[in-house]
Amino acid sequence: MARLIWTEPALQDLEEIAEYISLDDVGAAKRLVQKVFNVVEKLEKYPESGRRPPELKRTQYREKIVGPCRIFYRFEKGSVYILYIMRGERQLRNFILSEREKLR
């Protein structure tokens, strides 16, 4: 089983998304956070289940989709690093992933 490691910036990303959603619907924000954690927990058992992001086809990064979020992670040496969570309608800024790699 892989070890899950959340980076602080990824947790902050999720918190910011949840805070924004909670302005309209607190329950929806809570459900989203729970759903994200449930999907990420499954990566312990199936770390390579995520797809390669279409914008980064030749990369070591993978992603899981939990609408409206995209969860970016990397599986390396038995560990899954959760690096970045963004809203799906936003454009991926590749430099963010490389910046967050330095923080893990």
Side-chain angles (χ1 to χ4, degrees):
M1 219 147 74
R3 183 172 159 227
L4 271 181
I5 301 169
W6 280 84
T7 63
E8 188 61 36
L11 288 170
Q12 289 173 350
D13 295 337
L14 182 57
E15 183 178 346
E16 288 172 10
I17 292 168
E19 283 178 1
Y20 181 77
I21 292 170
S22 72
L23 293 173
D24 289 329
D25 188 342
V26 173
K30 288 179 181 179
R31 287 189 299 276
L32 173 66
V33 169
Q34 187 59 55
K35 210 168 162 185
V36 167
F37 276 100
N38 290 343
V39 167
V40 168
E41 283 177 16
K42 290 178 185 172
L43 293 174
E44 287 179 311
K45 202 169 188 179
Y46 306 104
E48 297 182 279
S49 63
R51 71 176 187 170
R52 300 222 187 266
E55 306 93 328
L56 306 169
K57 290 197 188 279
R58 301 170 101 177
T59 184
Q60 70 275 18
Y61 301 111
R62 293 182 175 272
E63 74 173 327
K64 294 295 274 184
I65 307 290
V66 178
C69 298
R70 294 174 72 185
I71 304 161
F72 293 88
Y73 71 96
R74 182 175 177 177
F75 176 54
E76 180 183 309
K77 298 178 184 172
S79 295
V80 173
Y81 298 91
I82 309 302
L83 300 170
Y84 182 39
I85 301 177
M86 64 176 270
R87 298 268 313 195
E89 69 274 5
R90 297 187 70 191
Q91 221 175 2
L92 176 62
R93 294 176 289 173
N94 301 351
F95 72 90
I96 290 176
L97 285 171
S98 53
E99 287 296 315
R100 298 223 173 148
E101 277 287 333
K102 296 173 190 172
L103 298 175
R104 63 179 183 109

